[in-house]
Amino acid sequence: MVVFGSLTFDVNPVFPLFGLPERLADPLSLPFASIPGFADSTVDFHAGTLHFGRLAGRQLAVLAGRLHYYEGHRMAAVVHPLRTLRLLGAEGLIVT
């Protein structure tokens, strides 16, 4: 699982994360607003989209954008996407 904020920079010159959702094979993209229980991101440059796909033979879930408590979301809503992906089998987490 990878969680992005603004997606505006590379964080590792060996494995740049910029543009990762667009590099996924067999992609499926869902706006947060279309997923029951997910709140919509209101921060500029946070896409609010969940992407599924494969990269280098591994299945990935990418949260493009994230929710923040300071946006007025309840803490349960802020952590709901991460808990959901864990229940779907996510075993690791990279947060930018």
Side-chain angles (χ1 to χ4, degrees):
M1 170 180 13
V2 179
V3 181
F4 286 118
S6 63
L7 290 175
T8 58
F9 55 90
D10 291 341
V11 297
N12 183 329
V14 176
F15 182 53
L17 297 176
F18 180 79
L20 179 60
E22 292 79 22
R23 297 196 322 257
L24 295 175
D26 303 319
L28 171 65
S29 299
L30 303 167
F32 288 177
S34 72
I35 305 170
F38 277 51
D40 201 14
S41 178
T42 60
V43 173
D44 288 344
F45 305 109
H46 285 216
T49 306
L50 172 57
H51 303 277
F52 293 101
R54 297 186 68 74
L55 182 68
R58 302 203 42 118
Q59 293 180 339
L60 292 181
V62 178
L63 292 164
R66 58 183 173 258
L67 304 173
H68 300 274
Y69 184 71
Y70 65 76
E71 292 177 80
H73 297 294
R74 294 174 301 116
M75 190 55 69
V78 172
V79 299
H80 181 75
L82 299 176
R83 289 180 173 168
T84 299
L85 291 178
R86 178 63 186 119
L87 289 172
L88 290 173
E91 296 177 352
L93 174 65
I94 299 171
V95 180
T96 67

